[in-house]
Amino acid sequence: MNVPEEFKYTKEHEWLKAEEGLATIGITDYAQSELGDIVFVELPQVGDAVSQGEPFGTIEAVKTVADLFSPVSGEVSELNPKIEEDPAVMNKDPYGEGWMMKIKMSEASQADSLLSPTDYRALIEKTE
Amino acid sequence: MSIEAGLRKTPFYDIHIKLGAKMVPFAGFIMPLQYRSIIEEHRRVRTSVGIFDLTHMGEFEISGPESLDFVQKMTTNDVKRLEVMQIQYTTMCYEDGGIVDDFLVYRLQDKYVLVVNAANIEKDFSHLQDHLPRRGVELKDSSYETALLAIQGPRAEEVFARMTEYDLSTLPFYWSAYAELCGERILFSRTGYTGEDGFELYLPNGLAPKFWEKAMEAGREFGVEPIGLGARDSLRLEMKYALYGNDIDRTTTPLEAGLGWIVKLDTADFFGKEALLKQKREGISRKLVAFQLKERGIPRQHCRILRDGKQIGEVTSGMFSPSLEIGIGLGYVPAEFSKIGESLEIDIRGKKVPAEIVKPPFWKKGSHK
């Protein structure tokens, strides 16, 4: 399972990349593989507030549905328009074109407390 | 992997693993859920051809001089109408009209073969055994000696024609035949659970992997792909084919499930006939309907079905239809609200999504003949 080195991770199988107070988030390769074909994603609107650990949306896949939990607190600043057009992009390229949204972080230090790639790899190996 | 403990492997197991299938436990077997993508596998069957491992299905052989009367008594369809090698879809009911199982009955030269749901093998067998007459009928469970491979899709005949000398154009839907395949005499039928043309091949376990390879080879130019249980479920739901355990069970009758066409109340006696006659006379109070969502959403099993804000039923099967690209489902609603065009709402995780009862099947362009 692909776990790139440049991201932080959550127990809920999301990844985060922080750059100058702005966090880009998505779901991991493991998550997309477990979910199977993603049919659509319910995301908040730009400007909505999200809180660390709280649900902010859902992913509907053919066989199942999953809640999305915010890795950090802040304000939604951008949504990936590709996900609305072709949600399967999250299956095909979860760390690249399949990113979900960007959050203007209210506490940048929250990003540091997330799982490292090594910790996340250990987590999914334990689950498998 | 721990989930494999105590689960049966089909003779195709090593092939599934080699292909990287996502394996899941299903009715005591470890089966492929998907190889690549449920949606893509589904579309491959609708537009071309796919092959399925259906070895989990159970097979019972019923022979002896009294076998016709016995099968007639145990099932709701009219077995007497079957000619040799013909097949019939039927239900087996309890005295109260509840369904024990739904299955296919093959009338072969010297016996009847029932092809039953994997999850019901033991229950069906003991139900049949309990009603076996003292003499004249022999009942045998050959489930674990038989592998089942299905070739399904509009190109299925072209693929299978490359594997056999048999003139498939002469074989109508719901008929079976024997063919020479790789030097073996094999029972096969023109049947399926997808809405497309297709064949089901009953194979001795030992030869099964070889036939899989042959079918893949024969189908290469048509882009044949292996198809998992995920797409099998979406393909059958688009046809409104009932799934035992979801849409039908011991608490539902075939009349409520829209299976009246396989309940022949004017023929010989069968278990459940009195109850079903009474239900028919009095009118059914609820009915299994097919609905599709009018807005984005995916109905799932056990979602509440609402009308004017009040619950009137529950979703028995629901999913995203890969062909229609919309949420579709089945569920029982009171007969007075079961008309085509009736407006409903489906409670999807607290969100009320408008839906409409539609005339089944959802997929109307199936290639089955």
Side-chain angles (χ1 to χ4, degrees):
Chain A
M1 217 47 85
N2 184 13
V3 180
E5 283 303 321
E6 63 268 36
F7 300 137
K8 290 285 204 172
Y9 298 89
T10 71
K11 289 198 293 288
E12 287 84 18
H13 307 289
E14 280 145 348
W15 59 262
L16 176 145
K17 188 179 190 177
E19 282 164 317
E20 292 165 18
L22 197 64
T24 305
I25 65 166
I27 62 164
T28 64
D29 189 28
Y30 176 80
Q32 72 76 22
S33 151
E34 285 296 301
L35 286 166
D37 300 84
I38 294 168
V39 179
F40 63 82
V41 186
E42 299 272 8
L43 292 176
Q45 313 262 316
V46 170
D48 284 356
V50 291
S51 312
Q52 187 176 42
E54 295 295 315
F56 68 83
T58 53
I59 296 191
E60 293 269 7
V62 171
K63 288 300 278 185
T64 188
V65 56
D67 281 315
L68 290 162
F69 296 90
S70 189
V72 290
S73 301
E75 186 189 302
V76 178
S77 66
E78 194 181 339
L79 301 173
N80 180 358
K82 281 212 184 79
I83 287 184
E84 183 70 30
E85 291 157 29
D86 178 23
V89 70
M90 294 175 74
N91 290 117
K92 286 178 208 133
D93 189 8
Y95 298 112
E97 299 228 317
W99 64 276
M100 278 191 299
M101 61 184 202
K102 294 185 182 176
I103 301 169
K104 205 189 296 164
M105 288 185 282
S106 49
E107 288 173 61
S109 62
Q110 283 181 341
D112 303 328
S113 63
L114 301 177
L115 300 175
S116 68
T118 311
D119 293 343
Y120 181 66
R121 229 172 267 128
L123 176 87
I124 57 178
E125 272 159 24
K126 213 164 62 192
T127 322
E128 268 178 334
Chain B
M1 272 165 87
S2 57
I3 57 163
E4 294 183 18
L7 295 170
R8 283 180 191 276
K9 293 175 184 173
T10 79
F12 304 112
Y13 176 84
D14 290 341
I15 295 177
H16 302 321
I17 298 299
K18 206 168 79 190
L19 289 167
K22 186 188 279 187
M23 303 297 285
V24 292
F26 183 80
F29 285 80
I30 175 97
M31 297 298 290
L33 174 70
Q34 63 178 70
Y35 298 85
R36 208 159 57 92
S37 144
I38 292 176
I39 293 180
E40 284 173 37
E41 289 166 30
H42 179 110
R43 291 184 177 147
R44 188 57 53 103
V45 175
R46 287 274 179 256
T47 58
S48 183
V49 63
I51 69 171
F52 301 67
D53 174 5
L54 304 180
T55 304
H56 58 300
M57 303 292 287
E59 293 86 16
F60 302 153
E61 296 173 24
I62 298 173
S63 56
E66 304 299 322
S67 52
L68 169 60
D69 287 344
F70 178 62
V71 181
Q72 184 83 309
K73 178 132 185 90
M74 301 309 294
T75 62
T76 58
N77 208 334
D78 189 359
V79 188
K80 287 195 301 296
R81 290 188 201 178
L82 280 178
E83 291 181 42
V84 173
M85 300 315 278
Q86 203 180 2
I87 303 159
Q88 162 178 97
Y89 178 52
T90 193
T91 52
M92 178 157 73
C93 286
Y94 296 100
E95 283 289 12
D96 68 359
I99 302 173
V100 185
D101 199 5
D102 67 320
F103 49 72
L104 297 181
V105 177
Y106 288 62
R107 182 185 168 195
L108 304 182
Q109 188 71 51
D110 53 349
K111 63 188 168 199
Y112 291 89
V113 176
L114 315 186
V115 182
V116 307
N117 280 301
N120 293 338
I121 292 176
E122 283 170 31
K123 179 184 73 175
D124 289 356
F125 194 78
S126 64
H127 184 80
L128 289 164
Q129 213 163 25
D130 288 348
H131 296 97
L132 213 55
R134 230 169 260 140
R135 55 181 72 84
V137 183
E138 204 179 310
L139 171 66
K140 185 188 161 203
D141 181 358
S142 53
S143 301
Y144 302 126
E145 298 151 29
T146 315
L148 177 49
L149 180 108
I151 306 173
Q152 300 278 304
R155 314 303 293 268
E157 182 176 320
E158 288 163 271
V159 174
F160 191 36
R162 290 168 181 229
M163 300 167 67
T164 175
E165 299 283 300
Y166 193 95
D167 181 4
L168 299 169
S169 67
T170 62
L171 190 74
F173 210 59
Y174 270 65
W175 282 79
S176 60
Y178 290 96
E180 286 285 325
L181 284 173
C182 313
E184 286 283 323
R185 188 168 176 260
I186 297 298
L187 175 68
F188 73 96
S189 57
R190 190 165 216 147
T191 45
Y193 193 52
T194 61
E196 303 302 330
D197 191 16
F199 300 90
E200 295 180 307
L201 284 58
Y202 296 87
L203 306 167
N205 280 339
L207 287 172
K210 191 162 99 185
F211 281 97
W212 177 286
E213 300 301 343
K214 289 259 176 217
M216 289 300 284
E217 210 176 284
R220 187 164 300 138
E221 76 170 90
F222 306 104
V224 69
E225 281 205 43
I227 313 295
L229 293 183
R232 177 167 161 85
D233 191 38
S234 57
L235 288 159
R236 71 92 196 166
L237 183 55
E238 284 187 345
M239 298 309 295
K240 202 208 169 204
Y241 293 155
L243 174 62
Y244 194 93
N246 280 38
D247 314 308
I248 52 175
D249 61 28
R250 67 166 306 142
T251 69
T252 63
T253 74
L255 301 181
E256 293 164 350
L259 297 174
W261 62 280
I262 54 168
V263 179
K264 302 290 158 58
L265 290 168
D266 44 5
T267 60
D269 275 347
F270 54 80
F271 282 104
K273 186 179 172 183
E274 284 311 312
L276 292 172
L277 266 175
K278 181 163 178 275
Q279 192 175 47
K280 191 172 185 189
R281 207 164 47 232
E282 292 171 359
I284 50 171
S285 59
R286 59 173 186 164
K287 213 175 144 187
L288 186 66
V289 295
F291 64 83
Q292 68 184 43
L293 299 189
K294 292 182 181 167
E295 289 171 15
R296 192 166 85 163
I298 304 181
R300 312 273 180 190
Q301 194 181 17
H302 306 310
C303 282
R304 298 188 309 145
I305 302 176
L306 313 171
R307 190 179 181 275
D308 299 331
K310 277 203 214 92
Q311 182 171 4
I312 57 163
E314 197 181 280
V315 175
T316 55
S317 284
M319 69 154 42
F320 173 77
S321 159
S323 303
L324 280 60
E325 299 192 318
I326 196 167
I328 61 169
L330 308 179
Y332 288 92
V333 299
E336 65 262 41
F337 306 132
S338 67
K339 283 189 293 293
I340 308 295
E342 191 85 32
S343 292
L344 306 169
E345 283 180 320
I346 310 300
D347 180 349
I348 301 176
R349 296 153 59 89
K351 195 174 155 194
K352 296 182 180 66
V353 184
E356 183 183 6
I357 298 180
V358 296
K359 188 172 158 44
F362 297 100
W363 173 248
K364 301 190 196 297
K365 296 179 219 156
S367 57
H368 73 89
K369 295 166 189 172

